[in-house]
């Protein structure tokens, strides 16, 4: 690529930004990036080149240097091959890193908006040209299937980054550069003031990425902070450092070409034994923290970092309430797909399925609780009947802890109720050593709340027998308020029940989807779906609304009286 000016980048990508802003304003279906890795779209060379570039990074130092480097770390192990990736990354001294990050912040803060946004748009564009190597990197660190890694952790995550950039641009464009102000005070001569307004960054943003979808909050958090003038340090999970390191390398290359200090974006790699996240949060120059990951650490951040701007997305008890349905098979398949997709290692995966003990009306006839539960189990079995389909849907387990959780819940669930479907490994058609597991489905009652009232990460779900449909609704919405929910679903043919359900879940701070079939119900659409509400314990941030960007900058003003 020939070297261009950063102002040209804004001009080049302006139509993409405008389209993103329009999509946000009108909430329609759109993507700026290709979601399919099909060679029919890309040709045969890009997929092969992407795989080769990924393989070339294995078993060597990652090509990245950091200020304050004190050594190299790396402990990623592929969930597919069970072999170490052998990649090492810079281990940093936090104080030295922050000193270096501060050197270029003034020039970045003073840069015109078109320059800053042009740099950010170019970063997203270059990352979109690396989707194949990113897919392999994500697959062999986070355990996603190749298709999921390409789309969900590639194109869809990039869309979330562009969405955040669109909101940042909208917010900053709302501040005029200058104004003339005139007024008379009493009998005094009229005064005239020339006022200038300048958005100012608040400080360094620390982005703490998760192991299973490392760039899902990585792109939007980076874009929201960097575009508004703040340096960013990306703290990768030790299990999934490579996708984040690739992003940081791209950022630093673009910043350098634009004439800015590359240390405006840095990488903090660590190990499980020597974590660095709390040191980043404790530094005086940290002003913003974006976190996606476990509720345990997320809630610790919320409680102990009140002096910072805190944007969290953790987890909740995502639920389905089944009151009735027009199409039992399609409903069961939609729910089953959520139980299987990415081995339920998604923040949108369904966990708790509430069904009244008396059963439901389906397609005009009364069917029993056991028939509904059986339809869901059978739908899972059908989806996973072929190893190729199981690999496409499930991917692998990101770590051995999930296998231990499955074993524990199998035993505890059997004591409390029934094991409707046991979890077993499936044979991956390409990787014989892949760490795999199919969904464990347990039948319990509402009295067994201790089992299901927290997120159980991985392919574990509960079919919960309630006294009535209203009882199921009350229980599920109450759990959303108390324990959090990122997605909630209702299936009903009764308009009045749907309206009651919407009010009940909305009062609990949860969004609700009704009667979704013939689509992945886990899917959260950038530019249309507000992902996480910030109104229940599942997180404080929304991807993406204006609140996600507006507090990342403040406005100073200068006013001068004219003679």
């Amino acid at each position: 690529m020939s070297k261009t000016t950063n102002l040209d980048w804004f001009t080049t990508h302006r139509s993409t930004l405008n389209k993103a802003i329009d999509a946000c304003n009108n909430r329609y279906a759109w993507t700026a990036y290709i979601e399919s890795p099909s060679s029919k779209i890309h040709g045969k060379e890009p997929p092969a080149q992407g795989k080769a570039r990924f393989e070339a990074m294995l078993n060597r130092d990652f090509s990245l240097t950091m200020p304050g480097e004190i050594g190299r770390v790396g402990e990623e192990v592929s969930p597919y091959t069970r072999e170490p990736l052998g990649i090492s990354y810079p281990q940093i001294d936090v104080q030295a890193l922050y000193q270096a990050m501060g050197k270029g912040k003034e020039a970045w803060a003073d840069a015109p908006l078109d320059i800053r946004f042009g740099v950010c748009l170019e970063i997203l564009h270059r990352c979109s040209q690396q989707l194949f190597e990113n897919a392999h990197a994500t697959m062999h660190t986070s355990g996603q299937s190749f298709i999921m890694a390409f789309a969900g952790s590639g194109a869809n995550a990039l869309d979330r980054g562009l969405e955040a950039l669109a909101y940042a641009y909208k917010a900053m464009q709302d501040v005029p550069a200058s104004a003339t102000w005139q007024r008379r005070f009493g009998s005094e001569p009229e005064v005239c003031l020339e006022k200038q307004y300048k958005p100012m960054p608040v400080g360094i943003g620390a982005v703490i990425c998760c192991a299973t979808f490392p760039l899902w909050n990585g792109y939007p958090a980076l874009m929201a902070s960097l575009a508004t003038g703040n340096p960013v340090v990306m703290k990768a999970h030790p299990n999934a450092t490579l996708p984040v390191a690739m992003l940081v390398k791209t950022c630093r290359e673009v910043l350098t070409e634009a004439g800015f200090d590359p240390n405006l974006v840095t990488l903090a790699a660590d190990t499980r034994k020597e974590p660095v996240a709390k040191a980043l949060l404790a530094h005086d120059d940290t002003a913003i923290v974006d976190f996606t990951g476990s509720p345990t650490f997320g809630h610790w951040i919320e409680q102990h970092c009140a002096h910072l701007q805190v944007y969290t997305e953790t987890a909740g008890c995502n639920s389905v309430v089944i009151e009735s349905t027009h199409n039992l098979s399609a409903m069961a398949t939609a729910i089953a797909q959520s139980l299987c997709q990415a081995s339920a290692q998604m923040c949108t995966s369904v966990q708790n399925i509430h069904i009244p003990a008396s059963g439901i009306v389906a397609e005009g006839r009364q069917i029993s609780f056991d028939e509904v539960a059986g339809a869901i189990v059978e739908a899972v079995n059908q989806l996973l009947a072929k190893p190729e389909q199981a690999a496409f849907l499930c991917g692998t387990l990101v770590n051995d802890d999930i296998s231990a959780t499955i074993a524990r819940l199998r035993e505890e669930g059997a004591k409390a109720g029934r094991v409707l479907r046991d979890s077993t490994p499936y044979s991956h058609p390409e990787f014989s050593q892949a760490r795999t597991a199919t969904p464990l489905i347990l039948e319990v009652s509402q009295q067994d709340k201790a089992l299901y009232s927290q997120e159980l990460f991985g392919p574990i779900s509960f079919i919960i027998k309630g006294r009535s449909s209203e009882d199921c609704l009350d229980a599920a919405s109450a759990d959303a308020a108390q324990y959090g929910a990122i997605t909630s679903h209702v299936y009903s043919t009764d308009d009045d029940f749907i309206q009651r359900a919407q009010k009940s879940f909305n009062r609990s701070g949860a969004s609700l989807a009704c009667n979704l079939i013939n689509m992945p119900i886990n899917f959260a659409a950038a530019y249309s779906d507000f992902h996480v509400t910030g109104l229940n314990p599942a997180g404080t941030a929304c991807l993406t609304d204006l609140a996600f960007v507006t507090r990342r900058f403040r406005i100073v003003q200068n006013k001068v009286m004219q003679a």
Side-chain angles (χ1 to χ4, degrees):
M1 151 176 197
S2 60
K3 189 170 181 179
T4 185
T5 67
N6 44 23
L7 186 58
D8 287 338
W9 287 337
F10 185 80
T11 302
T12 299
H13 303 302
R14 180 63 188 267
S15 61
T16 301
L17 178 62
N18 287 345
K19 184 67 172 179
I21 292 171
D22 187 66
C24 289
N25 289 341
N26 295 288
R27 319 308 294 178
Y28 50 76
W30 177 71
T31 176
Y33 309 103
I34 297 174
E35 296 176 286
S36 170
S38 172
S39 58
K40 293 180 180 179
I41 299 172
H42 301 273
K44 294 183 178 180
E45 286 190 7
Q49 291 170 348
K51 184 177 183 182
R53 283 191 288 267
F54 162 72
E55 291 175 344
M57 291 185 281
L58 301 176
N59 299 308
R60 62 184 60 194
D61 290 346
F62 186 79
S63 179
L64 186 68
T65 58
M66 283 290 116
E69 186 171 331
I70 57 175
R72 306 286 293 193
V73 294
E75 53 186 33
E76 295 160 305
V77 176
S78 169
Y80 284 91
T81 66
R82 306 290 188 103
E83 296 177 355
L85 299 191
I87 306 174
S88 70
Y89 308 92
Q91 184 180 23
I92 51 90
D93 173 78
V94 171
Q95 187 61 34
L97 184 78
Y98 271 61
Q99 286 177 354
M101 291 182 71
K103 293 179 180 178
K105 66 180 182 180
E106 187 171 342
W108 182 246
D110 287 341
L113 289 190
D114 287 5
I115 300 296
R116 282 212 306 262
F117 278 83
V119 168
C120 291
L121 286 163
E122 178 66 13
I123 289 169
L124 292 178
H125 170 70
R126 293 196 192 182
C127 288
S128 75
Q129 305 304 299
Q130 302 168 2
L131 287 180
F132 284 101
E133 51 261 53
N134 174 71
H136 286 286
T138 302
M139 177 181 173
H140 284 283
T141 54
S142 298
Q144 299 171 28
S145 70
F146 182 77
I147 299 294
M148 172 60 75
F150 189 93
S153 290
N156 299 152
L158 278 169
D159 273 324
R160 284 296 184 193
L162 179 58
E163 179 185 47
L165 203 58
Y167 272 99
Y169 194 74
K170 281 158 59 85
M172 301 196 84
Q173 284 291 99
D174 194 52
V175 182
S178 62
T180 300
W181 188 87
Q182 294 171 294
R183 179 179 170 177
R184 188 181 302 277
F185 290 85
S187 60
E188 298 295 330
E190 184 178 71
V191 297
C192 178
L193 301 181
E194 289 298 326
K195 299 185 180 184
Q196 294 179 330
Y197 308 97
K198 184 177 181 180
M200 295 290 290
V202 298
I204 291 176
V207 181
I208 303 174
C209 303
C210 72
T212 50
F213 280 81
L215 296 179
W216 180 249
N217 80 318
Y219 285 127
L222 170 68
M223 290 295 113
S225 285
L226 193 63
T228 52
N230 304 282
V232 178
V233 55
M234 305 289 290
K235 210 300 284 184
H237 193 285
N239 286 0
T241 305
L242 182 56
V244 181
M246 292 167 61
L247 169 58
V248 170
K249 182 179 179 182
T250 299
C251 291
R252 293 171 66 83
E253 290 171 350
V254 174
L255 285 164
T256 299
E257 288 181 33
F260 293 102
D261 190 333
N263 293 325
L264 289 166
V265 179
T266 59
L267 173 71
D270 63 359
T271 66
R272 284 176 289 273
K273 288 184 178 180
E274 297 182 84
V276 75
K278 288 186 178 180
L280 301 176
L281 301 182
H283 197 282
D284 290 342
D285 292 341
T286 297
I288 307 164
V289 55
D290 289 270
F291 171 82
T292 292
S294 73
T296 301
F297 191 42
H299 294 162
W300 184 92
I301 292 173
E302 293 165 7
Q303 293 167 8
H304 292 85
C305 299
H307 60 293
L308 305 178
Q309 292 183 35
V310 175
Y311 303 90
T312 63
E313 178 194 341
T314 55
C317 299
N318 298 330
S319 66
V320 174
V321 175
I322 304 176
E323 187 269 339
S324 55
T325 181
H326 287 299
N327 190 328
L328 178 63
S329 176
M331 179 195 73
T333 298
I335 296 171
Q337 186 176 38
S338 180
L339 304 184
C340 297
Q341 192 171 18
S343 295
Q345 297 168 121
M346 301 177 68
C347 61
T348 52
S349 299
V350 166
Q351 177 177 292
N352 298 338
I353 304 165
H354 297 261
I355 304 173
S358 59
I360 69 169
V361 174
E363 302 165 17
R365 68 182 182 90
Q366 183 72 29
I367 65 172
S368 69
F369 172 94
D370 287 344
E371 287 179 273
V372 183
I376 295 170
V377 170
E378 180 57 26
V380 170
N381 293 337
Q382 288 296 321
L383 287 174
L384 305 183
K386 297 179 180 179
E388 295 82 3
Q389 183 69 4
F392 170 80
L393 273 177
C394 297
T396 64
L397 303 182
V398 68
N399 58 46
D400 288 322
D401 293 344
I402 300 173
S403 300
T405 302
I406 292 171
R408 176 175 64 84
L409 265 296
R410 177 189 293 117
E411 181 178 346
E412 295 178 4
K415 291 178 181 177
R418 289 191 295 166
V419 177
L420 298 179
R421 187 188 189 283
D422 201 2
S423 174
T424 59
Y426 73 86
S427 297
H428 197 282
E430 184 178 357
F431 299 97
S432 61
Q433 297 301 312
R435 184 194 297 115
T436 66
T438 62
L440 172 68
I441 304 177
L442 304 168
E443 178 195 324
V444 296
S445 70
Q446 289 181 1
Q447 284 67 46
D448 302 308
K449 193 171 182 177
L451 284 176
Y452 64 79
S453 61
Q454 60 180 318
E455 185 207 33
L456 294 161
F457 196 63
I460 303 163
S461 59
F462 301 88
I463 295 183
I464 304 162
K465 185 179 290 187
R467 291 185 296 272
S468 65
S469 57
E470 295 293 341
D471 182 48
C472 291
L473 174 58
D474 291 344
S477 58
D479 285 349
Q482 185 173 359
Y483 306 110
I486 292 179
T487 55
S488 303
H489 299 268
V490 161
Y491 289 89
S492 176
T493 61
D494 184 338
D495 289 341
D496 289 338
F497 186 84
I498 289 175
Q499 289 182 9
R500 292 196 299 277
Q502 289 172 337
K503 289 181 180 179
S504 185
F505 276 100
N506 293 169
R507 283 195 301 265
S508 296
S511 299
L512 183 65
C514 301
N515 295 325
L516 299 190
I517 60 171
N518 301 325
M519 66 171 290
I521 66 174
N522 287 10
F523 185 69
Y527 319 109
S528 185
D529 289 326
F530 290 103
H531 179 71
V532 185
T533 66
L535 292 172
N536 67 60
T540 65
C542 175
L543 300 180
T544 305
D545 57 10
L546 279 171
F548 188 68
V549 298
T550 52
R551 293 180 61 236
R552 297 174 194 251
F553 67 93
R554 288 289 185 265
I555 301 163
V556 296
Q557 68 175 29
N558 299 306
K559 50 189 177 183
V560 179
M561 180 173 287
Q562 301 302 298

